[in-house]
Amino acid sequence: MNSKPENLCMAPWTHTYLSPQTERRLCCASREPAQNFKQYIDTEEGTNEYKPQTLEQYWNSERIRRVRMQMLANEVPPECEVCDKKLLNQDVYRDYFNHLFAHKWEDVVLNTDWDGYTTMQPISWDYRFSNLCNFKCRMCGPMLSSAWETEARKQNKIEPWMEKSVKKQIQKFQQDFVEQEFATAVEEHRIEEVYWVGGEPLMYEQHWQYMQRIIELGDGPGLYARYNTNLSRIDYKGVNLYTDILSKIRDWQICASIDGTGAVGEYIRTGLNYKEWLQYFAMGTKIARSDRRKMRIDFTLTLPGLFEIVNICRLARDFNVDILAKVVFAFTPDIAMSPLFLPKHILHAYIDELLLTDYVDNRTIREMLQNLKQRPTFEEEFPDEYAKGRIKGKWRMQALDKLRGGMQFRDTLKTIQAREFWDEIC
């Protein structure tokens, strides 16, 4: 049997992803032209017309067959640059899929035609049933948060997918096709791995419904479930996440999002009750029984969060857990929430200071900071757009601060140099 090509990822043979607006992708990290409505990670605008695809239509479509053929030829498809260039984090999704589904390589060889067509069916599911979310994280937006969407509607900022007629079409497609696709996979015992993410997945009724059904069908011992959650809820209609769901499946992992501690954490993730988060996270660590893989801190590095790194490392030590660290996505110079918004001399000086302290003792955090120094700042990457971009970014954050009240963006900048830089933007 042929050996697996180095650049091949098992996702196109095992995994299926669907966004809250029912856009299909290779995975959540794939950078592709939008089908209908552009998401923050997409490379090109969509049509802004709603023309969804069913899983059957997508699974062996021309695009995904082309990706499979490229991978089998040991080429890196353009959709896969996030993993190939480690744009998000050091622990890339490709490695995850290749580890989890290494035993499926023989199936790939036996069940893939010369043109990329495969008779394999997805066994790994990332279906985001809606944008339902009770948080308004400042690096998020309406597509991934219904709370953000509500706020945008009040300001009459209506994106094409938010139009009433389009929303009805999306909801109908979700009910008529998406729910049926997932339910059929459950009933046919075809789900080996599921990734619950949102929106906020623990707000989804579908999460509780399908996880209980998988357990009822006797498939719990074969299921691996991953969560990316704000951990604001662990109970639903008398069912407890830890004792009634996770204790009855083969394995699980919760990446609990927290991007700063205390008031700064609550500023970054509007809706967060930090004390409650600590309580629910502590419950999870007890259920995990010292297995560091099960409960993890999911830390997205933002500019305000840059000054919280020591606190995040301390939090991980206190709970004896690992950190999943990534840098907030940014493909334009007006994203003030990104640490790359800072000028190079300010950013690098503070990173060097962090790397010298014994308090930043987490390997993942240190690798992320070292990698961040290798990336161009916005000033370097967008020399012609940076001056206007930083003004636009500041105005956006100030408008959001005024709308939501409380702590201001400037309050989160903990060095004189960072505050002076912010004050000089006009």
Short mmCIF file of all heavy atoms in Angstrom, two decimals, residues 71-110:
data_model
loop_
_atom_site.label_atom_id
_atom_site.label_comp_id
_atom_site.label_asym_id
_atom_site.label_seq_id
_atom_site.Cartn_x
_atom_site.Cartn_y
_atom_site.Cartn_z
N MET A 71 -4.07 16.67 -2.67
CA MET A 71 -3.45 16.09 -1.48
C MET A 71 -2.80 14.74 -1.79
O MET A 71 -1.71 14.44 -1.29
CB MET A 71 -4.50 15.93 -0.37
CG MET A 71 -4.93 17.24 0.26
SD MET A 71 -6.05 16.96 1.64
CE MET A 71 -6.23 18.64 2.26
N LEU A 72 -3.46 13.93 -2.59
CA LEU A 72 -2.89 12.64 -2.95
C LEU A 72 -1.60 12.81 -3.77
O LEU A 72 -0.73 11.93 -3.77
CB LEU A 72 -3.91 11.81 -3.74
CG LEU A 72 -5.07 11.25 -2.91
CD1 LEU A 72 -6.15 10.68 -3.81
CD2 LEU A 72 -4.58 10.18 -1.92
N ALA A 73 -1.47 13.96 -4.43
CA ALA A 73 -0.25 14.28 -5.18
C ALA A 73 0.76 15.01 -4.29
O ALA A 73 1.77 15.53 -4.79
CB ALA A 73 -0.59 15.12 -6.40
N ASN A 74 0.48 15.07 -3.00
CA ASN A 74 1.35 15.73 -2.01
C ASN A 74 1.45 17.23 -2.23
O ASN A 74 2.45 17.86 -1.89
CB ASN A 74 2.75 15.12 -1.97
CG ASN A 74 3.46 15.41 -0.65
OD1 ASN A 74 2.82 15.55 0.39
ND2 ASN A 74 4.78 15.51 -0.70
N GLU A 75 0.41 17.81 -2.81
CA GLU A 75 0.34 19.26 -2.97
C GLU A 75 -0.48 19.85 -1.82
O GLU A 75 -1.31 19.17 -1.22
CB GLU A 75 -0.31 19.62 -4.31
CG GLU A 75 0.44 19.10 -5.52
CD GLU A 75 -0.33 19.32 -6.81
OE1 GLU A 75 -1.38 20.00 -6.76
OE2 GLU A 75 0.10 18.80 -7.85
N VAL A 76 -0.25 21.13 -1.54
CA VAL A 76 -1.02 21.83 -0.51
C VAL A 76 -2.06 22.69 -1.21
O VAL A 76 -1.72 23.68 -1.87
CB VAL A 76 -0.13 22.71 0.38
CG1 VAL A 76 -0.98 23.45 1.41
CG2 VAL A 76 0.93 21.88 1.08
N PRO A 77 -3.34 22.35 -1.11
CA PRO A 77 -4.38 23.18 -1.72
C PRO A 77 -4.38 24.58 -1.11
O PRO A 77 -4.05 24.75 0.07
CB PRO A 77 -5.68 22.43 -1.39
CG PRO A 77 -5.24 21.04 -1.07
CD PRO A 77 -3.90 21.16 -0.44
N PRO A 78 -4.75 25.59 -1.87
CA PRO A 78 -4.77 26.96 -1.33
C PRO A 78 -5.72 27.10 -0.15
O PRO A 78 -5.52 27.96 0.72
CB PRO A 78 -5.22 27.81 -2.52
CG PRO A 78 -5.85 26.85 -3.49
CD PRO A 78 -5.14 25.56 -3.30
N GLU A 79 -6.74 26.26 -0.08
CA GLU A 79 -7.68 26.31 1.03
C GLU A 79 -7.01 26.00 2.37
O GLU A 79 -7.55 26.33 3.43
CB GLU A 79 -8.82 25.29 0.81
CG GLU A 79 -9.76 25.62 -0.33
CD GLU A 79 -9.28 25.08 -1.67
OE1 GLU A 79 -8.09 24.68 -1.78
OE2 GLU A 79 -10.09 25.07 -2.61
N CYS A 80 -5.84 25.38 2.32
CA CYS A 80 -5.22 24.83 3.53
C CYS A 80 -4.07 25.67 4.07
O CYS A 80 -3.25 25.17 4.85
CB CYS A 80 -4.75 23.41 3.25
SG CYS A 80 -6.08 22.30 2.70
N GLU A 81 -3.99 26.94 3.70
CA GLU A 81 -2.85 27.75 4.12
C GLU A 81 -2.85 28.03 5.62
O GLU A 81 -1.79 28.28 6.21
CB GLU A 81 -2.81 29.07 3.35
CG GLU A 81 -3.91 30.06 3.69
CD GLU A 81 -3.63 31.45 3.12
OE1 GLU A 81 -2.47 31.73 2.77
OE2 GLU A 81 -4.58 32.23 3.03
N VAL A 82 -4.00 28.00 6.28
CA VAL A 82 -4.04 28.25 7.72
C VAL A 82 -3.21 27.19 8.46
O VAL A 82 -2.45 27.51 9.38
CB VAL A 82 -5.49 28.28 8.24
CG1 VAL A 82 -5.51 28.28 9.77
CG2 VAL A 82 -6.21 29.51 7.72
N CYS A 83 -3.36 25.94 8.05
CA CYS A 83 -2.55 24.88 8.65
C CYS A 83 -1.11 24.92 8.13
O CYS A 83 -0.16 24.83 8.91
CB CYS A 83 -3.16 23.51 8.36
SG CYS A 83 -4.59 23.10 9.37
N ASP A 84 -0.97 25.05 6.82
CA ASP A 84 0.35 24.96 6.22
C ASP A 84 1.28 26.07 6.72
O ASP A 84 2.47 25.85 6.96
CB ASP A 84 0.23 25.02 4.70
CG ASP A 84 1.53 24.69 4.01
OD1 ASP A 84 2.07 23.59 4.25
OD2 ASP A 84 2.02 25.53 3.23
N LYS A 85 0.72 27.28 6.90
CA LYS A 85 1.53 28.42 7.34
C LYS A 85 1.35 28.74 8.82
O LYS A 85 1.90 29.73 9.31
CB LYS A 85 1.17 29.65 6.50
CG LYS A 85 1.47 29.48 5.01
CD LYS A 85 1.08 30.72 4.22
CE LYS A 85 1.37 30.52 2.73
NZ LYS A 85 0.95 31.70 1.93
N LYS A 86 0.57 27.91 9.50
CA LYS A 86 0.33 28.08 10.94
C LYS A 86 -0.15 29.50 11.26
O LYS A 86 0.38 30.17 12.15
CB LYS A 86 1.58 27.72 11.74
CG LYS A 86 2.00 26.27 11.57
CD LYS A 86 3.16 25.88 12.47
CE LYS A 86 3.47 24.39 12.33
NZ LYS A 86 4.58 23.97 13.20
N LEU A 87 -1.18 29.93 10.53
CA LEU A 87 -1.68 31.29 10.70
C LEU A 87 -2.49 31.47 11.97
O LEU A 87 -2.63 32.58 12.48
CB LEU A 87 -2.55 31.69 9.49
CG LEU A 87 -1.86 31.74 8.13
CD1 LEU A 87 -2.85 32.14 7.05
CD2 LEU A 87 -0.67 32.69 8.16
N LEU A 88 -3.04 30.37 12.48
CA LEU A 88 -3.90 30.47 13.66
C LEU A 88 -3.18 30.03 14.92
O LEU A 88 -3.17 30.73 15.92
CB LEU A 88 -5.16 29.63 13.44
CG LEU A 88 -6.21 29.64 14.56
CD1 LEU A 88 -6.70 31.06 14.80
CD2 LEU A 88 -7.38 28.73 14.20
N ASN A 89 -2.58 28.85 14.88
CA ASN A 89 -1.83 28.38 16.04
C ASN A 89 -0.78 27.36 15.59
O ASN A 89 -0.70 27.00 14.42
CB ASN A 89 -2.76 27.78 17.11
CG ASN A 89 -3.66 26.69 16.56
OD1 ASN A 89 -3.41 26.14 15.50
ND2 ASN A 89 -4.71 26.38 17.28
N GLN A 90 0.02 26.92 16.55
CA GLN A 90 1.10 25.99 16.24
C GLN A 90 0.61 24.55 16.10
O GLN A 90 1.16 23.76 15.34
CB GLN A 90 2.18 26.06 17.33
CG GLN A 90 2.85 27.43 17.44
CD GLN A 90 3.56 27.82 16.17
OE1 GLN A 90 4.52 27.19 15.75
NE2 GLN A 90 3.07 28.87 15.52
N ASP A 91 -0.41 24.20 16.86
CA ASP A 91 -1.00 22.86 16.78
C ASP A 91 -2.10 22.89 15.73
O ASP A 91 -3.23 23.30 16.00
CB ASP A 91 -1.58 22.46 18.15
CG ASP A 91 -0.50 22.42 19.22
OD1 ASP A 91 0.61 21.97 18.92
OD2 ASP A 91 -0.79 22.84 20.36
N VAL A 92 -1.77 22.46 14.53
CA VAL A 92 -2.67 22.68 13.40
C VAL A 92 -3.69 21.55 13.26
O VAL A 92 -3.48 20.42 13.70
CB VAL A 92 -1.89 22.85 12.08
CG1 VAL A 92 -0.99 24.08 12.17
CG2 VAL A 92 -1.07 21.62 11.75
N TYR A 93 -4.79 21.91 12.63
CA TYR A 93 -5.92 21.00 12.47
C TYR A 93 -5.54 19.78 11.64
O TYR A 93 -6.03 18.68 11.87
CB TYR A 93 -7.06 21.75 11.79
CG TYR A 93 -8.43 21.47 12.37
CD1 TYR A 93 -8.61 20.70 13.51
CD2 TYR A 93 -9.57 22.00 11.76
CE1 TYR A 93 -9.87 20.45 14.02
CE2 TYR A 93 -10.84 21.76 12.26
CZ TYR A 93 -10.98 20.98 13.40
OH TYR A 93 -12.23 20.74 13.89
N ARG A 94 -4.68 19.95 10.65
CA ARG A 94 -4.26 18.82 9.81
C ARG A 94 -3.64 17.72 10.66
O ARG A 94 -3.94 16.53 10.47
CB ARG A 94 -3.27 19.30 8.75
CG ARG A 94 -2.74 18.19 7.84
CD ARG A 94 -1.92 18.77 6.70
NE ARG A 94 -0.77 19.52 7.18
CZ ARG A 94 -0.09 20.39 6.43
NH1 ARG A 94 -0.45 20.62 5.18
NH2 ARG A 94 0.94 21.04 6.93
N ASP A 95 -2.80 18.10 11.60
CA ASP A 95 -2.17 17.10 12.48
C ASP A 95 -3.22 16.39 13.32
O ASP A 95 -3.11 15.18 13.58
CB ASP A 95 -1.14 17.77 13.39
CG ASP A 95 0.07 18.29 12.62
OD1 ASP A 95 0.25 17.90 11.45
OD2 ASP A 95 0.81 19.12 13.18
N TYR A 96 -4.22 17.15 13.75
CA TYR A 96 -5.28 16.55 14.56
C TYR A 96 -6.02 15.47 13.78
O TYR A 96 -6.20 14.34 14.26
CB TYR A 96 -6.26 17.64 15.02
CG TYR A 96 -7.52 17.09 15.65
CD1 TYR A 96 -7.53 16.65 16.97
CD2 TYR A 96 -8.69 16.97 14.91
CE1 TYR A 96 -8.67 16.12 17.54
CE2 TYR A 96 -9.84 16.44 15.47
CZ TYR A 96 -9.83 16.02 16.79
OH TYR A 96 -10.96 15.49 17.34
N PHE A 97 -6.47 15.81 12.57
CA PHE A 97 -7.21 14.84 11.77
C PHE A 97 -6.35 13.64 11.39
O PHE A 97 -6.83 12.50 11.38
CB PHE A 97 -7.76 15.51 10.50
CG PHE A 97 -8.97 16.35 10.74
CD1 PHE A 97 -8.95 17.71 10.46
CD2 PHE A 97 -10.14 15.80 11.24
CE1 PHE A 97 -10.07 18.50 10.68
CE2 PHE A 97 -11.27 16.58 11.46
CZ PHE A 97 -11.23 17.94 11.19
N ASN A 98 -5.10 13.89 11.09
CA ASN A 98 -4.23 12.78 10.70
C ASN A 98 -3.93 11.84 11.86
O ASN A 98 -3.74 10.64 11.67
CB ASN A 98 -2.92 13.32 10.11
CG ASN A 98 -3.12 13.92 8.73
OD1 ASN A 98 -4.16 13.71 8.10
ND2 ASN A 98 -2.15 14.67 8.26
N HIS A 99 -3.91 12.38 13.06
CA HIS A 99 -3.72 11.52 14.24
C HIS A 99 -5.00 10.74 14.54
O HIS A 99 -4.96 9.52 14.77
CB HIS A 99 -3.33 12.37 15.44
CG HIS A 99 -3.30 11.62 16.74
ND1 HIS A 99 -2.28 10.74 17.06
CD2 HIS A 99 -4.18 11.59 17.78
CE1 HIS A 99 -2.52 10.20 18.25
NE2 HIS A 99 -3.67 10.70 18.71
N LEU A 100 -6.13 11.44 14.53
CA LEU A 100 -7.40 10.81 14.91
C LEU A 100 -7.82 9.74 13.92
O LEU A 100 -8.36 8.69 14.30
CB LEU A 100 -8.49 11.88 15.02
CG LEU A 100 -9.83 11.43 15.59
CD1 LEU A 100 -9.68 11.00 17.04
CD2 LEU A 100 -10.86 12.56 15.48
N PHE A 101 -7.56 9.98 12.63
CA PHE A 101 -8.05 9.06 11.60
C PHE A 101 -6.93 8.39 10.81
O PHE A 101 -7.10 8.04 9.65
CB PHE A 101 -9.00 9.81 10.65
CG PHE A 101 -10.24 10.32 11.34
CD1 PHE A 101 -10.50 11.68 11.39
CD2 PHE A 101 -11.12 9.44 11.94
CE1 PHE A 101 -11.64 12.15 12.03
CE2 PHE A 101 -12.26 9.91 12.58
CZ PHE A 101 -12.53 11.26 12.63
N ALA A 102 -5.79 8.21 11.46
CA ALA A 102 -4.67 7.53 10.80
C ALA A 102 -5.07 6.13 10.32
O ALA A 102 -4.62 5.66 9.27
CB ALA A 102 -3.48 7.44 11.75
N HIS A 103 -5.96 5.49 11.07
CA HIS A 103 -6.38 4.13 10.73
C HIS A 103 -7.28 4.08 9.50
O HIS A 103 -7.61 2.99 9.01
CB HIS A 103 -7.12 3.50 11.92
CG HIS A 103 -8.38 4.23 12.31
ND1 HIS A 103 -8.37 5.47 12.90
CD2 HIS A 103 -9.69 3.88 12.18
CE1 HIS A 103 -9.61 5.86 13.13
NE2 HIS A 103 -10.43 4.92 12.70
N LYS A 104 -7.67 5.24 8.98
CA LYS A 104 -8.54 5.29 7.80
C LYS A 104 -7.76 5.44 6.49
O LYS A 104 -8.37 5.49 5.42
CB LYS A 104 -9.52 6.46 7.93
CG LYS A 104 -10.51 6.34 9.09
CD LYS A 104 -11.51 5.23 8.86
CE LYS A 104 -12.55 5.17 9.97
NZ LYS A 104 -13.53 4.08 9.75
N TRP A 105 -6.44 5.50 6.56
CA TRP A 105 -5.65 5.71 5.34
C TRP A 105 -5.87 4.59 4.32
O TRP A 105 -6.01 4.84 3.12
CB TRP A 105 -4.17 5.86 5.68
CG TRP A 105 -3.26 5.81 4.48
CD1 TRP A 105 -2.25 4.93 4.25
CD2 TRP A 105 -3.29 6.67 3.34
NE1 TRP A 105 -1.64 5.18 3.05
CE2 TRP A 105 -2.28 6.25 2.46
CE3 TRP A 105 -4.10 7.74 2.96
CZ2 TRP A 105 -2.03 6.86 1.24
CZ3 TRP A 105 -3.85 8.37 1.74
CH2 TRP A 105 -2.83 7.92 0.90
N GLU A 106 -5.94 3.37 4.78
CA GLU A 106 -6.17 2.26 3.86
C GLU A 106 -7.52 2.42 3.16
O GLU A 106 -7.65 2.13 1.96
CB GLU A 106 -6.11 0.93 4.59
CG GLU A 106 -6.25 -0.28 3.67
CD GLU A 106 -6.09 -1.61 4.39
OE1 GLU A 106 -5.77 -1.59 5.60
OE2 GLU A 106 -6.27 -2.66 3.75
N ASP A 107 -8.52 2.89 3.90
CA ASP A 107 -9.83 3.13 3.29
C ASP A 107 -9.74 4.21 2.21
O ASP A 107 -10.42 4.12 1.18
CB ASP A 107 -10.84 3.57 4.36
CG ASP A 107 -11.18 2.45 5.33
OD1 ASP A 107 -10.92 1.28 4.99
OD2 ASP A 107 -11.69 2.75 6.42
N VAL A 108 -8.93 5.24 2.45
CA VAL A 108 -8.74 6.29 1.45
C VAL A 108 -8.19 5.69 0.16
O VAL A 108 -8.68 5.97 -0.95
CB VAL A 108 -7.79 7.38 1.98
CG1 VAL A 108 -7.37 8.33 0.86
CG2 VAL A 108 -8.46 8.16 3.11
N VAL A 109 -7.18 4.85 0.29
CA VAL A 109 -6.55 4.24 -0.88
C VAL A 109 -7.53 3.36 -1.65
O VAL A 109 -7.62 3.40 -2.88
CB VAL A 109 -5.31 3.42 -0.46
CG1 VAL A 109 -4.73 2.66 -1.65
CG2 VAL A 109 -4.26 4.33 0.17
N LEU A 110 -8.31 2.58 -0.91
CA LEU A 110 -9.20 1.61 -1.54
C LEU A 110 -10.48 2.23 -2.08
O LEU A 110 -11.10 1.66 -2.99
CB LEU A 110 -9.56 0.51 -0.53
CG LEU A 110 -8.40 -0.37 -0.05
CD1 LEU A 110 -8.88 -1.34 1.02
CD2 LEU A 110 -7.79 -1.14 -1.22
#
